[in-house]
Amino acid sequence: PLNRSFRCLNPAHADHHPSMRYNPKTQTVHCFACSVTYDIFQLVGQEEKIEDFSQQLKFVQNRYGISATKEFFSYKEKPKTKVQDFTDFVKNGTENRTEKTFEWFASRGISETLVKKYSLFVWENRAVLPVFQQGICISWAARALDDTTNPRYLNSSGGMGIWGFDKIFEQNHEPIAICEGIFDALSLEQCGCQAIALCGSGRVGQFLDKLSKLPNSLPLFILAGDSDSAGQKMCEELKKGISSLGGCYAALKLPDGYKDANVAWVNAPEQLQKAVDSAKSAVLSSMLQATTQYQQQSMAGMAAEFLGYLDRSSQQPVLSSGFAGLDNLLGGGLFPGLYVLGAPSSLGKTTLLLQIADNIAASGRDVLFFSLEMGRWELLAKSLCRIAGIKEKITVRDILTNKLPCETLETLLTQYNQTAGEHLFVVQGDSGLTPAQVMAKAKEHREHRGQSPIVIVDYLQILSPEAPRLSDKQNTDHAVLCLKALSRDLDVPVLAASSFNRDSYSKTASMEAFKESGAVEYAADVLMALQMSGMGKEGFDINKAKAAEPRKEDLIVLKNRNGTPYGHISLNYHAAANLFVEMGQKSTAFSSAPNRIGRRS
């Protein structure tokens, strides 16, 4: 560290003359313009726009070659400087006030009442403006009474406090004006408006930090910055900060031609009074509007919106999965919400979801299928195999290696396009897809097509993580919550495939089988599982069951938030034909479901 003091510019605000001084004893810099002290990390953070301390530390180490040793941080362990107390100084000054003191303040528009209320006095040909905190004078600002005294402005040693900040704790529901200078605040108090002064336009950050630590709600604010660029910048920063803290504010429009509130009060008091009254009315109106809007968020306030939702819902057709037994278990079909289908590997999760997607698309509803494992041509080939049927014995390999006669292929494609093809859209996850990208693409589809698509994601655990440093469980939880939010935003069913953990491959399907099952188990509206029929029974041979044609599988509903809590249907899975058939039903590529879709009763 340097062992000598020097001055420098402050990157936190406009600073044309060096206003900061380095203290070699504490290894900090203090800005005498805004009264803020920085260590090296905070200073670099200001200059390089780095907020995170770990990144500030890394930048400092790289730039200066400094190791983060205990000795290097030793200055941070020193006790904080005790708050200074100038109360006796102020008491002595107020006891020696003369008539000339009141006359001078009156020339600046400040009444005797306010001079006494805020302990203003004159000392060494300077007007002294004390800053109190809980009854103790922690700092003061002084300005020369005339040009014979230099320097014109003088502050107490140490950091400058915020004048009048204790008013915020009074919570009397009266608006409080935020000014740059103390004379401006006093002028607004003359207009009957409570006011505080930041004592510098560059101290917004310090003020907002104090606001963020308040235990109670914020008061109403009037932003009363000067009319110059620094004052307007101060107001813009206050707007953003107060809004982020949930506060209400209105801006004070100074009378034309006046730089600040004090100059306006001295020269055009009636105009300033009107401006203050107008700002008060504006902030009270803003608060009333915000209160009314918030009240409308109560369940009683949203009753009309609820009735409108019910009316819209009653006009929407219930979507069929294509499996009558499953529709019955779900209370009539697929309703808006998140559906998660889990199974061990190679039991047909993708095939079942694709068959459901084709059935929905055949009914005339758009389906957006996010395939993170298979390419779109492989999915198309699976659908064509299903159309060809069991007897034709056409395989995906036959289609992808172009072994089918042209006439056969054209016939299959024509039939597919006339049923599902026009309404099924496949998004390949070639470069990885994050949950946020899935949400964005679904909303983009709505913009282009004029309808919200049914969303299918194959599958959860392959979605790219939003934050690579998080664990697999945390990323899966995030993906589930995003898909849940998407189902609410679009008011559609969202279906997603999920893998099982390996310990559950040879066990009866249960909620615990879902890999990284935290949010999957709790956030999903419907939780389903595929398993081989007979799983868990004594003597069951899974390899023999998989080799059977067709395979006997069960589709189990493990959770149904708004319907039958548990149930299952039995399926025949013709793996080569990529076709699931509900036992007791005919084996067709597309169910008759589109013809029996009706409106909600």
Side-chain angles (χ1 to χ4, degrees):
L2 291 173
N3 294 319
R4 59 181 176 82
S5 179
F6 63 88
R7 300 185 71 181
C8 59
L9 300 174
N10 188 343
H13 57 76
D15 196 4
H16 302 294
H17 302 286
S19 62
M20 291 203 302
R21 182 177 293 278
Y22 172 69
N23 185 334
K25 292 183 179 180
T26 61
Q27 299 176 33
T28 60
V29 288
H30 178 76
C31 179
F32 291 91
C34 63
S35 300
V36 177
T37 301
Y38 304 95
D39 61 24
I40 186 174
F41 305 105
Q42 295 164 334
L43 185 62
V44 167
Q46 284 285 353
E47 183 180 4
E48 303 295 334
K49 310 299 182 187
I50 303 172
E51 296 184 1
D52 181 66
F53 172 74
S54 63
Q55 295 301 313
Q56 294 172 355
L57 173 60
K58 184 177 180 181
F59 188 92
V60 169
Q61 288 178 305
N62 291 339
R63 173 180 279 186
Y64 303 110
I66 297 173
S67 299
T69 62
K70 182 177 180 180
E71 291 75 16
F72 181 72
F73 289 110
S74 61
Y75 71 90
K76 285 180 171 289
E77 299 169 3
K78 297 177 181 179
K80 293 183 178 180
T81 303
K82 184 179 179 180
V83 175
Q84 300 195 63
D85 186 350
F86 299 98
T87 307
D88 289 341
F89 168 67
V90 173
K91 182 180 179 182
N92 183 63
T94 56
E95 289 175 348
N96 292 287
R97 280 191 296 235
T98 66
E99 285 303 315
K100 287 186 177 181
T101 298
F102 297 112
E103 289 175 4
W104 187 89
F105 279 106
S107 72
R108 298 300 302 268
I110 311 305
S111 67
E112 182 176 335
T113 300
L114 288 188
V115 170
K116 292 180 178 179
K117 178 179 180 180
Y118 292 113
S119 301
L120 312 181
F121 63 95
V122 172
W123 167 73
E124 294 186 353
N125 203 42
R126 290 186 173 89
V128 180
L129 314 172
V131 178
F132 288 90
Q133 179 178 297
Q134 298 179 358
I136 298 173
C137 178
I138 60 172
S139 60
W140 50 263
R143 66 180 298 164
L145 302 186
D146 51 48
D147 295 336
T148 64
T149 302
N150 287 303
R152 185 177 182 185
Y153 298 99
L154 182 68
N155 293 340
S156 58
S157 60
M160 177 61 66
I162 294 175
W163 186 87
F165 189 82
D166 285 352
K167 297 183 179 106
I168 290 179
F169 295 99
E170 295 174 7
Q171 294 286 324
N172 60 7
H173 306 294
E174 285 294 316
I176 298 175
I178 306 172
C179 307
E180 180 179 342
I182 299 176
F183 273 107
D184 300 326
L186 290 167
S187 300
L188 295 181
E189 294 250 348
Q190 291 287 168
C191 294
C193 179
Q194 297 183 96
I196 62 178
L198 302 187
C199 300
S201 61
R203 306 185 69 210
V204 173
Q206 182 180 349
F207 173 69
L208 293 174
D209 182 61
K210 291 172 74 70
L211 285 187
S212 68
K213 297 174 182 177
L214 293 176
N216 300 319
S217 59
L218 299 184
L220 304 176
F221 288 115
I222 294 174
L223 311 185
D226 293 357
S227 61
D228 59 13
S229 59
Q232 294 309 299
K233 181 182 178 183
M234 180 188 91
C235 288
E236 289 301 316
E237 292 174 352
L238 285 170
K239 286 179 183 179
K240 293 178 182 178
I242 293 172
S243 294
S244 69
L245 295 173
C248 284
Y249 62 84
L252 173 69
K253 188 179 186 306
L254 289 170
D256 293 340
Y258 299 105
K259 176 184 177 293
D260 56 44
N262 182 243
V263 176
W265 175 244
V266 171
N267 295 280
E270 292 183 359
Q271 293 182 48
L272 181 63
Q273 184 68 64
K274 289 181 180 179
V276 170
D277 292 342
S278 177
K280 279 186 173 182
S281 297
V283 73
L284 289 170
S285 176
S286 176
M287 180 198 67
L288 181 60
Q289 182 179 4
T291 302
T292 301
Q293 290 176 345
Y294 187 79
Q295 181 59 36
Q296 290 173 348
Q297 297 177 30
S298 70
M299 298 308 290
M302 300 184 73
E305 186 174 340
F306 176 61
L307 293 175
Y309 168 78
L310 293 180
D311 183 61
R312 292 192 303 274
S313 297
S314 67
Q315 302 304 314
Q316 292 294 325
V318 179
L319 295 170
S320 172
S321 65
F323 297 92
L326 178 59
D327 290 345
N328 290 334
L329 287 176
L330 298 178
L334 298 171
F335 296 87
L338 177 60
Y339 299 72
V340 178
L341 171 66
S345 178
S346 75
L347 254 64
K349 295 188 297 292
T350 300
T351 301
L352 181 59
L353 287 177
L354 181 62
Q355 187 169 337
I356 291 173
D358 282 341
N359 275 306
I360 295 173
S363 73
R365 281 297 301 271
D366 283 1
V367 178
L368 196 55
F369 196 111
F370 292 90
S371 181
L372 289 86
E373 189 175 30
M374 297 185 184
R376 61 169 52 91
W377 304 141
E378 189 174 357
L379 293 179
L380 177 57
K382 291 168 78 71
S383 293
L384 296 180
C385 285
R386 188 182 337 107
I387 291 173
I390 301 168
K391 294 181 180 180
E392 296 296 329
K393 296 184 179 180
I394 294 175
T395 66
V396 169
R397 184 67 60 193
D398 293 334
I399 295 173
L400 295 180
T401 55
N402 202 22
K403 291 182 178 180
L404 294 187
C406 292
E407 296 81 3
T408 302
L409 184 59
E410 289 177 1
T411 299
L412 293 175
L413 282 170
T414 299
Q415 187 175 350
Y416 181 72
N417 290 339
Q418 290 175 347
T419 51
E422 291 289 337
H423 294 280
L424 182 65
F425 298 79
V426 175
V427 178
Q428 292 183 166
D430 297 329
S431 56
L433 279 169
T434 65
Q437 289 173 323
V438 170
M439 298 175 76
K441 286 184 178 293
K443 293 175 181 178
E444 179 186 3
H445 180 100
R446 180 176 59 183
E447 293 296 319
H448 288 301
R449 295 279 292 178
Q451 63 170 285
S452 296
I454 312 307
V455 176
I456 297 179
V457 177
D458 185 30
Y459 60 90
L460 272 176
Q461 284 76 17
I462 307 182
L463 281 170
S464 295
E466 300 279 5
R469 293 185 179 181
L470 297 181
S471 66
D472 289 345
K473 180 183 184 305
Q474 289 172 320
N475 278 308
T476 299
D477 286 352
H478 175 70
V480 170
L481 295 176
C482 285
L483 296 181
K484 173 68 175 177
L486 182 62
S487 72
R488 286 196 299 263
D489 291 347
L490 299 185
D491 196 29
V492 296
V494 173
L495 291 79
S498 174
S499 58
F500 271 5
N501 56 59
R502 292 190 177 276
D503 291 341
S504 300
Y505 276 25
S506 58
K507 299 177 182 178
T508 303
S510 65
M511 290 187 183
E512 292 77 13
F514 283 83
K515 193 173 184 180
E516 315 297 351
S517 66
V520 177
E521 178 179 347
Y522 297 114
D525 296 287
V526 176
L527 205 58
M528 301 181 291
L530 267 178
Q531 72 172 20
M532 302 298 297
S533 297
M535 176 66 72
K537 294 182 179 180
E538 186 177 350
F540 175 74
D541 187 337
I542 190 168
N543 292 324
K544 183 178 179 180
K546 283 186 176 181
E549 177 54 37
R551 295 183 192 172
K552 307 295 182 183
E553 298 190 13
D554 293 328
L555 178 59
I556 305 169
V557 175
L558 296 169
K559 172 190 175 183
N560 185 5
R561 195 185 303 276
N562 297 308
T564 304
Y566 183 87
H568 79 281
I569 61 171
S570 298
L571 302 171
N572 285 324
Y573 178 31
H574 303 272
N578 291 275
L579 174 65
F580 279 92
V581 180
E582 190 173 351
M583 287 190 182
Q585 303 293 321
K586 295 181 179 179
S587 57
T588 57
F590 298 100
S591 73
S592 58
N595 297 324
R596 51 184 189 80
I597 289 177
R599 301 196 181 280
R600 295 184 177 131
S601 57

